[in-house]
Amino acid sequence: MARHSDKQVHKILAAVLRRRGGPLKIESLEMEGPRDDEVLVRIVASGICHTDIGFVDGWDDTDGPIVLGHEGAGVVEQVGKEVKSVRRGDHVVLSYQSCGRCRKCRSGHPADCDNFYQANFGFARLDGSNALQRSGVRGHFFGQSSFATHVLATERNIVKVSKKLNLEVLAPLGCGLQTGAGTVINSLAVPKGASIAVFGTGAVGLAAVMAARIVGASPIIGVDIKLKRLKLAVELGATHVIDSRRDKAGSRITDITGSGVDYVVETSGDAKLYRLSTDILNPNGTAAFLTGISGPDYLPEGRRALSIIQGDAVPQHFIPKMIALHQAGQFPFDRLLKFYNFSDINSAIADSRRGGAIKPVLRISEV
Ligand SMILES: [Zn+2]
Ligand SMILES: [Zn+2]
C-alpha cells in the first residue's frame, strides 16, 4: 500500500458542479498529492462524454460539489516514489480506473473490476480519501476528474504516448471511442463478413462503425435520428443507414439483409431500439448494450445479450492500438471532434446535448 504523502498542495483550476443541471463554474481549488503511487498530470485537453452530462443532469446537490471529466490527456508533472512506468515530461492519455487487486484485474480484465463502481464513480480514492478535501470539493472521477488544469491518476489509468502526437486529438480515446471500438473488436470479436447494426451514431456508435469496417463486417447498418450523424456514419464505413424517425428500423434491416443481423451494438438508450436489438438478431447472434442496461435473461436459438463496459479494453494495450489504426487512416476519429476553450465548457455541453457536437474536446492548457 502506498504511504500517504499529502504534504504538497497544488493550486489548480477546475470546473465545479454545485447544482444539478449546471452550469459548471471554473474555480480555483487546492489539490493535495501526489501520493507514492500517483502521477500528477497537467491536463492539455479533455473530451466530454455522455456520462459526464448524465452526472450533470442527475446530480443530487446534497451530495456536495464535484469535479467531472474522464477523457483527459496531458503531461506528467510529478510522479510518486512507487511509480515506474512514466516520468516527468511524458505525455499521457487517461482512461478508466481499476483496483489492480481483484481477480478480474489480475487476470487482465480491469473493465470487469470488482471495485469498478467505487474506483470510477466514488468521487474518492479507493481508500476513501479525497485530494480536493481542503476545498470542500470531491474529485477522482474515473480516477481523474479531467475538467481541471491538473489531476491525480495512477499507473493503472494512464497510457504513455509519443510526444509527436497531438494530445488534443488523443484525449477522447480513453472512454467513448474505446468503448465503441473495443465492443466490436474485443467483446464481440465480430468476424469478417458478419452483419452488424449500430443503434445510435454518436461518438460511441461511430467508433463501433469504424471498427466494424476494420474487421470487415458487412453489411454495416447505422441507425439514428440525426441526418448529419448518419451522413458521417456512411463516410466512416456504414454500408447502409436508417433514419429511425422516418423509417421502421426493423423492416428496413430485414430488407437489407434478407433476415436479421448477426450483431447489434446498442448505444442509443432509446426504448424502441432497445427492444429491436434482440428482436432483430439472427439465431446465435449477439446484442451488446453499452448504456449500462442489460438485455433479457433468456433469448431463443443461441441468441445472446451482453452488457459491456469500456469494450473490455485494457487501456495500455487498446489505446496504442487505436492510435496505430488512426495513423494508418483506418480509424479517422478526429472527424468527430469539435474543440472548445475550457472557459466555454457549458456551451460545449449544450452543443453536445443538441447534437451539434459529436465529441466536444476542451482545450485546457498548451503542451
Ligand atoms: Zn479490480
Ligand atoms: Zn465516458
Side-chain angles (χ1 to χ4, degrees), residues 98-106 110 112-116 156:
S98 56
C99 81
R101 295 189 293 270
C102 71
R103 194 196 299 180
K104 315 263 179 40
C105 279
R106 285 189 325 229
D112 294 328
C113 173
D114 287 348
N115 299 299
F116 189 90
R156 298 196 56 75

Side-chain angles (χ1 to χ4, degrees), residues 203-222:
V204 176
L206 288 172
V209 165
M210 288 186 277
R213 177 167 69 177
I214 290 166
V215 301
S218 181
I220 301 167
I221 305 166

Side-chain angles (χ1 to χ4, degrees), residues 25 51 73 78 115 129 137 150 182 191 227 251 280 287 315 355:
K25 259 182 63 192
T51 305
Q78 217 180 310
N115 299 299
S129 65
V137 172
H150 298 79
L227 231 53
S251 45
I280 201 69

Side-chain angles (χ1 to χ4, degrees), residues 49 51 70-71 175:
C49 172
T51 305
H70 62 286
E71 292 183 349
C175 180

Side-chain angles (χ1 to χ4, degrees), residues 199-241:
F199 293 171
T201 52
V204 176
L206 288 172
V209 165
M210 288 186 277
R213 177 167 69 177
I214 290 166
V215 301
S218 181
I220 301 167
I221 305 166
V223 181
D224 204 289
I225 53 172
K226 292 232 158 67
L227 231 53
K228 199 175 121 188
R229 294 203 293 222
L230 290 173
K231 263 182 76 183
L232 191 53
V234 170
E235 290 168 28
L236 296 177
T239 57
H240 303 76
V241 287

